[in-house]
């Protein structure tokens, strides 16, 4: 996949024309990060937008006791750091490579020059920020209103909906799920087993498939 094709998959730029996308690709840079390396640290100065070109990264908060809470897991075409394009505030979380990853970097000053030349980018940025806010509201609501099995069921639906809604194709372990819902790996394993026994999901070595969406939505408190 070319750099232009990757950028076209990013919601921030999806409404732009091919010549406009190409102009943006000309001012981006590529960086590689080995597995477990820190891409950005919480409280670092925020000066760039990152797009995942290959690999997988996690956005995490780390407590004083070293415990991690995963806010999101991002794969090819996903992006982070868009708030840094607007304000001068520091990074709000750590971002860590879960596997060897290559990222596309667009620095704030370059982005501002693009914005002056291509104002339509601002609409994509507003849409991206709106989606982030809605997603954050949904996650907060789930943490407050749902028990752990309900949070796991909702997370599985959200991860499936990143694709065609039928399966979770990205690599995700029980430990990662536990960090995303604020639970233990053992509890996640028991819940996944229970959902499988009830015929709501099916699990293989490659992915988790949604077998009964209505039933899983009920378990997630959606219906």
């Amino acid at each position: 996949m070319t750099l232009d094709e990757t950028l076209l998959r990013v919601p921030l730029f999806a409404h732009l024309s091919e010549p406009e996308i190409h102009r943006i690709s000309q001012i981006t840079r590529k960086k590689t990060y080995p597995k477990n390396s820190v891409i950005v640290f919480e409280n670092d100065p925020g000066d760039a937008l990152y797009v995942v070109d290959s690999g997988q990264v996690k956005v995490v908060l780390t407590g004083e006791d070293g415990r991690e809470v995963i806010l999101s897991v991002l794969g090819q075409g996903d992006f982070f750091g868009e708030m840094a394009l607007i304000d001068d505030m520091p990074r709000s979380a750590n971002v860590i490579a879960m596997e060897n990853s290559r990222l596309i970097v667009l620095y704030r000053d370059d982005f501002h020059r693009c914005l002056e030349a291509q104002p339509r980018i601002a609409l994509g940025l507003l849409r991206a920020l709106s989606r982030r806010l809605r997603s954050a509201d949904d996650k907060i609501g789930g943490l407050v209103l749902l028990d752990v099995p309900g949070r796991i069921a909702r997370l599985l639906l959200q991860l499936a909906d990143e694709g065609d809604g039928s399966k979770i194709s990205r690599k995700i372990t029980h430990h990662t799920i536990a960090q995303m819902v604020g639970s233990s790996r053992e509890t996640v394993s028991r819940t996944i087993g229970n959902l499988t026994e009830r015929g709501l999901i099916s699990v293989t070595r490659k992915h988790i498939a949604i077998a009964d969406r209505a039933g899983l939505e009920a378990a997630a408190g959606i219906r």
Side-chain angles (χ1 to χ4, degrees), residues 84-105:
L85 299 179
I86 300 174
D87 58 33
D88 294 319
M89 299 298 290
R91 300 291 184 185
S92 58
N94 302 304
V95 182
I96 301 170
M98 300 178 72
E99 55 189 64
N100 294 337
S101 302
R102 183 172 63 247
L103 280 79
I104 301 165
V105 186

Side-chain angles (χ1 to χ4, degrees), residues 119-221:
R120 287 199 303 159
I121 296 176
L123 180 59
L125 182 58
L126 288 172
R127 287 174 174 167
L129 292 173
S130 177
R131 278 191 292 270
R132 293 281 202 233
L133 182 58
R134 290 180 185 276
S135 176
D137 286 345
D138 187 60
K139 287 179 180 178
I140 292 169
L143 289 171
V144 172
L145 300 175
L146 298 173
D147 57 12
V148 172
R151 298 203 295 269
I152 293 171
R154 182 169 294 192
L155 176 62
L156 295 178
L157 288 166
Q158 291 169 345
L159 293 173
D161 287 341
E162 291 177 357
D164 61 7
S166 66
K167 65 180 181 297
I168 300 167
S169 54
R170 72 174 53 198
K171 302 173 185 177
I172 189 162
T173 66
H174 289 188
H175 180 66
T176 298
I177 292 174
Q179 290 179 307
M180 295 180 79
V181 301
S183 184
S184 67
R185 184 186 61 78
E186 292 76 16
T187 299
V188 170
S189 296
R190 286 196 300 270
T191 301
I192 294 293
N194 178 263
L195 294 174
T196 303
E197 291 174 2
R198 292 164 59 188
L200 304 185
I201 62 173
S202 62
V203 181
T204 68
R205 294 183 63 182
K206 292 185 177 180
H207 60 251
I208 298 175
I210 310 300
D212 180 355
R213 187 176 184 91
L216 193 60
E217 287 178 343

Side-chain angles (χ1 to χ4, degrees), residues 3 21-29 104-107 109-114:
L3 178 54
I21 284 290
H22 186 66
R23 283 196 290 272
I24 292 174
S25 71
Q26 295 296 101
I27 60 172
T28 60
R29 307 175 193 182
I104 301 165
V105 186
L106 175 61
Y107 287 97
D109 291 344
D110 293 328
F111 175 80
H112 284 178
R113 283 191 286 270
C114 276

Side-chain angles (χ1 to χ4, degrees), residues 34-100:
K35 181 179 179 179
N36 295 325
S37 63
V38 179
I39 300 167
V40 299
F41 285 95
E42 183 180 1
N43 295 320
D44 272 358
D47 63 351
L49 167 78
Y50 293 79
V51 179
V52 182
D53 188 32
S54 66
Q56 189 165 259
V57 307
K58 59 182 178 180
V59 182
V60 305
L61 294 176
T62 304
E64 293 182 358
D65 59 356
R67 186 171 61 91
E68 286 186 355
V69 175
I70 297 179
L71 302 180
S72 57
V73 174
L74 308 175
Q76 187 181 49
D78 292 330
F79 61 96
F80 61 91
E82 67 278 7
M83 289 188 293
L85 299 179
I86 300 174
D87 58 33
D88 294 319
M89 299 298 290
R91 300 291 184 185
S92 58
N94 302 304
V95 182
I96 301 170
M98 300 178 72
E99 55 189 64
N100 294 337

